[in-house]
Amino acid sequence: MVEEKKKKTAKQRPPRRSWLRRFGSVVKWVFILGILGLLFAGGAVAGYVTSIVKDDPVRSEELIQQQVSQNAITGFAYFRDGQPIGQLRTEEDRRLIEFNDIPQLVIDAVLAIEDNSFYDHVGIDFSGTLRAVKQKLLNESVQTGGSTLTQQLARRVFLSLDRTEDRKVKEILLSLRLERFLSKNEILTAYLNKVPFGNGSNGYNVFGIKAASKGIFGLDDLDKLNIAQAAYLAGLPQLPSKYSAFNGVGEFNETAFGRAMDRQKLVLRRMLEENKITTSQYNEALQFDIQSSLAPYTKKAYATFPYLMLETERKAAAILLAINEDKSTGENADSAATAGSDTVLLEEARQQLMTGGYRVYTTIDKKVYSAMHSVSENSDNFTKDSEARGKEQAAGMLIDNKTGAILGMIEGRDFNIEQMNYATQMVRQPGSTMKPIAAYLPALDSGLIQPASILDDAPMILKDGSKGFHIPKNANNRYQGLVTARYALNKSLNLPALKLFNEKVGIEESWAFTKKLGITTLQDNDYNAQTGVIGGLRYGVSVEELTNAYASIGNNGAFNDAYMIEKIVDFQGKIIYQHKVNPEQVFSEQTAYLMTDMLRTVITEGTATTVKSNYEHFKDVPIVGKTGSTQNYGDVWFMGYTPDVTLGMWVGYKEQINTLQGDKQKRQAQTLWAKVMNAVIEKQPELFVTKEFTQPEGIVKKTVSAYSGKLPTDLTDKFTTDLFNAKYVPTDSDDGISKAKYITYGGVNYLPLEGTPDDFLREKIVVKRDKPIQDLIKELQAAFDGMKEHESLAYYMPADAKTDFPTEVDPRVDDGNAPTAPGSVSVSYSTGKAVITFAPSGSSDVVGYRLYRSLNGGAFQKQSVISAGENPVFTPGTPQSVNATFYVTAVDVAGHETASGSVAGGTAPTPEPTPPPEELPGAEATPEGGIVPGGTEEDPGMIIVHPPGSEEVPAGGANNAGGGNNAGNAP
């Protein structure tokens, strides 16, 4: 039993395993655990990757294609002849290239240093990455990048350039996706179009191999790169800022260039190792002088032509915005651009312009632009800078009359001081340069006036909310009365223009006409500005728009909206905008010619004397123009044109409160205009092909009355001959004059009272003006009551007031008494002739004064009369060699006469009967000093000879009611 139990127990023991079986078991479990570990690690990695990319979008093939092919491309601006102005404003220079235009040499150089297994990997090169890590850890001399070109492209297009672990994971996944949707050649081309290469010789950051070739070596054609240059460029993308041979302003950086040359040698060595070049090519490339082949330093266009580039940018961006808004696909882009747009949309259009590779062709003539700036950039042409007022500024605009193309500009004097374009962005008061545009042109075109029409340069009273009333003045501080329209414009008289603007044409019609000539800055309250035609606007006008308006006169009445952008071409070479000249006939050719002829005499006979003195080409290029200035000379202008071009010039200070001082500054616009025109004609004479202003049909010459501008009559004795539009030649007879007997008092003609002595009356031709002087006086006196400050009544009397037709009776009333005697009679001699002065009578009803003379102790005889209010001086022309004695009497409106209490020149003898007329040596008339219609008025101071039997003049000048009945008789 015991043995059986032992046997049973023995059978229950497990068999003993061999070492081989035990090892296999261990391996099995290790394998199982390894698999579990790998699954765990994989899961962890997958979870980690998932956490990184969970918010990253899954990019479709279409999106990848779109973003990879999307490039910011540098745009350029050009002069009218196709010469480049420069690169549009950006800190980058980007120029696209197609794969077929990339030389194999460049591809070999880039792949040798950046990704020598590019055509073999699937976007990730593990061996390359491990090699780069090893080279970095061991600090080996030959180092290659760990990222493939595909990874670099993915990083640049889709990811931030910040070095983070997350970015690397995304980069790898994106690279795999790029390789799936893009060919190797597409990836390589995109890479070479996007990577940076440092700064070019003009300071711009160059992106892409083509921009690098141009910016660093000055080569547009990559086929012209040699091995040394290709290797140099291929080495730059790794650290473009560290290897850039040029700094941000295009200056040579020797230290950085040295680093770039070390990098170039590394590229050449890699190319040799990859059998892309031979040993002889390698050695030859090492010997090549890279530095001497670098592009020469060039200024950025925004440094060379800062104003012009910014203006090109502004105008082109506005056109792009108009195109974007589908305004007739850009056909009306010019007008849409000037209408004002949302600033956000305009900025988006500007960014589109800056990065879209557009080529903007301007109308600017380089020779014209340079000629204009040769004047504006010469400080000798300007007044020295003032601490109080700053720098004297100038703006100019030259426009082609036929098309409206802007050929040149003066935008300011120093871009570093003031970036505003004074020619296009500044708005200032136009002064008298607005007169032709808003007054004379519409009046001429509607037949309201012609050059020979008569306008009244007499005061007008305007309502002024703050001062009650305002009485405008002329610059010469006087009123000249009835003048022709031509004369009024020649002398830039304010009142005739104001009356055309306010009364004949009307403010509403004047501004409507002005807007048709391209003036867009008028405001609603300008329609209430009665002085708007002489510069009293809310804001004013720009140099560009005012010049544009004048160009329509040179273009025979056809207005072309001024433009500076001829066409815009996109990066594919497609013309997306082409300016179309679309003239609008605003006024007739006859009106334009008459206006031109009137502006011609502004230069030859009027206010533009400085232009006349400084312009050098009268024989070759005819010019006409108009001066202008604002109150206190805060702005001065000259607008002039030839048959081909119009040049507008403004001078002033940045702040209008700072005024121009002295005659030279006040005429500065004329001086600069002449200098600019002289320079432009010299530099670009082919612009001036038309040698005269052509007279159209329908212009006739006619002689008319200088009193009314109508057909002369038998009474007319003053004439003017001028040009007329045949449609508006006058058919009515002269009704501006009449013959009347009157008396002059205070410079005004009145109907005489019944008892007024005849020798103080005048009977001759007088003028019948629209507003008689008597009515003007009443209006002035009423206005004075509502004015805090005003001049004397005499100041406002026009020079021809004494020729006015009398409509009112002499306001003086006889007080019933003889007038008080004049006093202080004295005689002196000037140039050998007697001059008698006296103190006027104090009586208010005095009508005038008589001068009596005695020769050699003989009887006193009346010599001359002067009216009350005139200068109390007689100049009878009596020689000093004659023994003469004088006294003066005062005569009132009723004929009462009172003699002075003293005589001058000798002892007063007893009066004797008046002798027969005698001729006295040197007897001359006393001049009146006024202007008489026709110039034939008798002088009131001439010697009057009494006929025999006439009444004696009592000694001492006793009262003589009939003493005034000898008028017209000679002594």
Side-chain angles (χ1 to χ4, degrees):
M1 291 294 294
V2 174
E3 289 180 0
E4 289 180 1
K5 289 182 179 179
K6 287 181 179 179
K7 288 180 181 179
K8 189 174 182 180
T9 303
K11 287 180 181 179
Q12 291 177 345
R13 290 180 179 176
R16 200 168 178 182
R17 292 182 296 177
S18 67
W19 67 272
L20 187 61
R21 291 182 63 188
R22 289 196 301 270
F23 176 75
S25 178
V26 170
V27 170
K28 180 182 71 173
W29 284 106
V30 168
F31 176 75
I32 292 171
L33 293 174
I35 292 297
L36 292 174
L38 287 174
L39 290 174
F40 178 79
V45 170
Y48 174 68
V49 171
T50 301
S51 67
I52 291 175
V53 301
K54 65 178 181 178
D55 296 324
D56 222 30
V58 177
R59 295 171 176 86
S60 65
E61 178 180 0
E62 181 182 0
L63 180 62
I64 288 174
Q65 290 279 7
Q66 178 186 348
Q67 291 194 252
V68 167
S69 61
Q70 183 177 337
N71 290 281
I73 310 171
T74 300
F76 293 89
Y78 300 88
F79 289 107
R80 70 189 303 217
D81 62 357
Q83 293 186 65
I85 303 173
Q87 179 178 321
L88 291 174
R89 182 169 53 168
T90 174
E91 290 305 313
E92 302 173 358
D93 185 355
R94 297 175 183 264
R95 309 181 189 207
L96 293 187
I97 192 168
E98 299 293 332
F99 178 79
N100 292 334
D101 296 324
I102 305 174
Q104 188 61 43
L105 172 63
V106 172
I107 295 173
D108 290 342
V110 171
L111 295 184
I113 191 64
E114 291 293 341
D115 192 353
N116 61 359
S117 61
F118 173 70
Y119 282 102
D120 299 324
H121 62 64
V122 292
I124 306 168
D125 182 5
F126 290 105
S127 62
T129 302
L130 293 174
R131 182 178 64 248
V133 172
K134 177 179 75 71
Q135 291 170 349
K136 188 72 174 177
L137 292 174
L138 299 179
N139 196 25
E140 295 181 5
S141 59
V142 177
Q143 295 189 2
T144 55
S147 297
T148 64
L149 290 189
T150 311
Q151 288 175 264
Q152 294 182 49
L153 179 62
R155 178 168 67 244
R156 184 158 294 278
V157 174
F158 298 105
L159 303 175
S160 166
L161 297 181
D162 296 336
R163 295 182 178 274
T164 64
E165 296 301 325
D166 288 359
R167 190 206 70 189
K168 198 67 176 178
V169 173
K170 294 179 181 179
E171 179 185 301
I172 292 172
L173 294 176
L174 278 170
S175 298
L176 294 172
R177 197 160 182 81
L178 287 180
E179 292 276 353
R180 177 183 173 187
F181 295 128
L182 301 175
S183 69
K184 288 290 186 179
N185 289 348
E186 288 175 329
I187 293 172
L188 179 60
T189 303
Y191 171 83
L192 287 176
N193 275 325
K194 293 181 181 296
V195 292
F197 288 80
N199 296 320
S201 62
N202 55 10
Y204 287 115
N205 293 322
V206 289
F207 283 76
I209 189 67
K210 185 171 184 178
S213 176
K214 175 65 176 176
I216 296 173
F217 293 116
L219 300 175
D220 283 309
D221 187 355
L222 269 63
D223 287 321
K224 295 181 180 180
L225 291 169
N226 59 33
I227 295 173
Q229 292 169 326
Y232 181 91
L233 294 178
L236 299 178
Q238 185 192 52
L239 292 171
S241 59
K242 182 178 179 181
Y243 297 143
S244 179
F246 302 101
N247 63 17
V249 293
E251 297 169 339
F252 182 69
N253 185 331
E254 187 172 357
T255 302
F257 175 71
R259 290 193 291 260
M261 287 304 298
D262 291 339
R263 179 73 173 169
Q264 182 234 25
K265 293 179 176 64
L266 174 59
V267 176
L268 289 172
R269 196 183 322 162
R270 291 294 299 145
M271 291 178 73
L272 180 62
E273 292 172 356
E274 296 291 331
N275 296 318
K276 300 301 182 183
I277 57 175
T278 65
T279 302
S280 62
Q281 288 175 319
Y282 171 76
N283 291 328
E284 183 180 350
L286 289 176
Q287 295 301 316
F288 181 75
D289 186 357
I290 287 286
Q291 184 172 346
S292 65
S293 72
L294 293 174
Y297 165 72
T298 55
K299 284 186 177 181
K300 295 179 180 179
Y302 284 83
T304 308
F305 302 109
Y307 285 117
L308 181 55
M309 289 299 296
L310 284 177
E311 190 63 30
T312 301
E313 177 186 314
R314 278 191 291 267
K315 292 187 183 296
I319 291 173
L320 284 185
L321 175 59
I323 294 174
N324 293 341
E325 294 179 342
D326 195 27
K327 293 186 180 297
S328 301
T329 318
E331 183 176 342
N332 298 318
D334 282 322
S335 58
T338 59
S341 301
D342 184 275
T343 55
V344 174
L345 295 177
L346 188 59
E347 177 59 23
E348 289 177 358
R350 193 187 71 82
Q351 289 299 325
Q352 177 187 347
L353 177 71
M354 297 297 101
T355 60
Y358 294 98
R359 297 180 180 271
V360 181
Y361 293 84
T362 74
T363 60
I364 300 296
D365 186 299
K366 187 175 183 180
K367 290 182 180 178
V368 170
Y369 190 82
S370 298
M372 294 178 73
H373 277 254
S374 69
V375 176
S376 65
E377 292 172 8
N378 183 351
S379 59
D380 293 339
N381 292 328
F382 295 87
T383 307
K384 291 183 179 179
D385 295 354
S386 165
E387 290 186 9
R389 292 174 290 163
K391 181 180 288 291
E392 182 183 83
Q393 285 290 355
M397 177 71 68
L398 188 75
I399 295 178
D400 186 308
N401 293 341
K402 302 296 186 295
T403 65
I406 297 173
L407 303 176
M409 288 184 288
I410 294 173
E411 308 94 328
R413 290 188 55 207
D414 192 336
F415 183 79
N416 295 322
I417 294 177
E418 177 57 60
Q419 287 75 51
M420 180 180 69
N421 186 330
Y422 281 89
T424 62
Q425 295 179 298
M426 176 192 68
V427 175
R428 297 291 276 262
Q429 296 295 342
S432 294
T433 55
M434 186 57 80
K435 292 173 182 174
I437 303 303
Y440 287 92
L441 273 175
L444 283 169
D445 202 51
S446 59
L448 293 172
I449 64 166
Q450 295 290 282
S453 295
I454 302 303
L455 303 175
D456 197 356
D457 181 34
M460 66 184 301
I461 296 116
L462 304 177
K463 290 184 178 180
D464 187 319
S466 60
K467 299 179 181 178
F469 295 97
H470 169 58
I471 306 175
K473 300 177 180 179
N474 288 316
N476 59 12
N477 277 310
R478 62 192 182 98
Y479 302 90
Q480 294 182 236
L482 298 181
V483 294
T484 65
R486 180 186 293 274
Y487 181 88
L489 188 63
N490 285 351
K491 302 302 182 182
S492 198
L493 302 179
N494 288 336
L495 276 303
L498 285 169
K499 290 175 181 179
L500 288 175
F501 179 68
N502 286 276
E503 299 170 358
K504 288 186 178 290
V505 179
I507 296 178
E508 193 83 23
E509 289 298 320
S510 290
W511 286 152
F513 187 92
T514 301
K515 286 183 176 181
K516 291 180 182 178
L517 297 183
I519 304 297
T520 65
T521 51
L522 295 175
Q523 304 297 306
D524 289 342
N525 51 8
D526 288 330
Y527 286 82
N528 299 318
Q530 295 173 293
T531 58
V533 74
I534 60 174
L537 301 173
R538 177 69 178 87
Y539 296 116
V541 298
S542 71
V543 178
E544 176 183 351
E545 290 190 349
L546 189 56
T547 307
N548 195 189
Y550 272 83
S552 69
I553 315 175
N555 195 32
N556 303 315
F559 173 74
N560 284 305
D561 201 6
Y563 71 102
M564 200 186 92
I565 307 301
E566 187 66 53
K567 66 179 178 180
I568 299 177
V569 180
D570 68 12
F571 74 98
Q572 295 176 325
K574 177 183 176 183
I575 297 176
I576 64 168
Y577 167 79
Q578 176 73 61
H579 178 80
K580 294 181 180 179
V581 176
N582 185 27
E584 177 187 356
Q585 196 72 36
V586 178
F587 49 95
S588 71
E589 293 183 24
Q590 292 76 23
T591 295
Y593 185 78
L594 293 176
M595 188 77 259
T596 292
D597 199 64
M598 291 171 73
L599 293 175
R600 173 183 61 81
T601 52
V602 169
I603 293 177
T604 59
E605 303 171 17
T607 56
T609 55
T610 302
V611 170
K612 183 179 179 180
S613 300
N614 288 276
Y615 181 63
E616 299 172 352
H617 298 276
F618 279 107
K619 294 182 179 179
D620 308 317
V621 182
I623 60 170
V624 304
K626 181 68 186 77
T627 57
S629 61
T630 55
Q631 191 172 18
N632 299 324
Y633 293 90
D635 307 272
V636 294
W637 302 75
F638 188 77
M639 291 285 151
Y641 57 92
T642 77
D644 299 298
V645 302
T646 298
L647 172 63
M649 187 66 62
W650 166 90
V651 176
Y653 288 95
K654 180 180 179 180
E655 303 296 335
Q656 194 173 24
I657 193 173
N658 294 324
T659 59
L660 299 164
Q661 300 173 2
D663 189 63
K664 182 178 180 181
Q665 270 199 310
K666 293 175 181 178
R667 296 176 176 271
Q668 185 71 298
Q670 293 187 54
T671 303
L672 292 180
W673 190 96
K675 288 183 177 181
V676 168
M677 188 60 77
N678 291 338
V680 171
I681 293 173
E682 181 180 346
K683 291 287 184 66
Q684 192 67 302
E686 55 266 33
L687 283 179
F688 305 91
V689 296
T690 310
K691 299 305 178 184
E692 62 180 7
F693 292 101
T694 304
Q695 179 176 309
E697 295 182 358
I699 297 294
V700 297
K701 184 176 287 188
K702 194 77 174 177
T703 298
V704 295
S705 166
Y707 298 115
S708 64
K710 298 179 180 180
L711 298 178
T713 65
D714 293 341
L715 196 60
T716 306
D717 63 351
K718 186 177 180 183
F719 310 88
T720 183
T721 301
D722 214 324
L723 300 176
F724 284 81
N725 183 336
K727 289 172 56 178
Y728 302 119
V729 172
T731 56
D732 296 334
S733 297
D734 188 5
D735 59 358
I737 53 175
S738 179
K739 200 165 188 179
K741 181 179 287 188
Y742 62 92
I743 189 168
T744 301
Y745 170 54
V748 180
N749 297 337
Y750 292 97
L751 298 171
L753 295 169
E754 185 176 349
T756 301
D758 286 347
D759 56 346
F760 292 98
L761 302 184
R762 299 172 186 172
E763 185 174 7
K764 57 181 181 291
I765 294 172
V766 288
V767 177
K768 299 172 69 176
R769 63 210 313 151
D770 290 341
K771 177 174 288 186
I773 295 297
Q774 287 91 343
D775 292 349
L776 175 63
I777 290 174
K778 291 178 182 177
E779 291 182 6
L780 288 169
Q781 290 173 334
F784 290 166
D785 293 338
M787 297 175 66
K788 294 180 180 179
E789 295 181 359
H790 59 81
E791 307 290 345
S792 67
L793 182 63
Y795 174 90
Y796 297 106
M797 289 298 98
D800 63 351
K802 293 180 181 179
T803 69
D804 200 49
F805 184 84
T807 60
E808 301 282 338
V809 176
D810 187 348
R812 291 168 291 188
V813 178
D814 179 25
D815 61 6
N817 300 314
T820 59
S824 305
V825 178
S826 65
V827 63
S828 60
Y829 291 88
S830 175
T831 64
K833 303 294 178 67
V835 178
I836 295 90
T837 60
F838 63 95
S841 167
S843 298
S844 60
D845 61 348
V846 170
V847 72
Y849 302 91
R850 295 175 180 147
L851 173 69
Y852 292 87
R853 181 185 67 182
S854 168
L855 292 177
N856 300 316
F860 279 92
Q861 297 178 357
K862 185 173 69 173
Q863 287 290 111
S864 306
V865 298
I866 59 175
S867 297
E870 294 180 3
N871 191 24
V873 176
F874 285 102
T875 54
T878 304
Q880 188 173 5
S881 59
V882 176
N883 181 20
T885 306
F886 303 91
Y887 72 87
V888 179
T889 66
V891 183
D892 66 14
V893 292
H896 303 125
E897 183 176 24
T898 302
S900 60
S902 62
V903 295
T907 304
T910 302
E912 298 179 359
T914 302
E918 60 178 313
E919 293 187 5
L920 302 176
E924 296 177 358
T926 301
E928 178 187 1
I931 299 174
V932 182
T936 59
E937 180 191 5
E938 65 184 26
D939 289 314
M942 77 172 18
I943 294 174
I944 301 174
V945 180
H946 296 276
S950 64
E951 295 181 344
E952 296 180 4
V953 179
N959 293 343
N960 181 3
N965 294 328
N966 298 321
N969 299 329

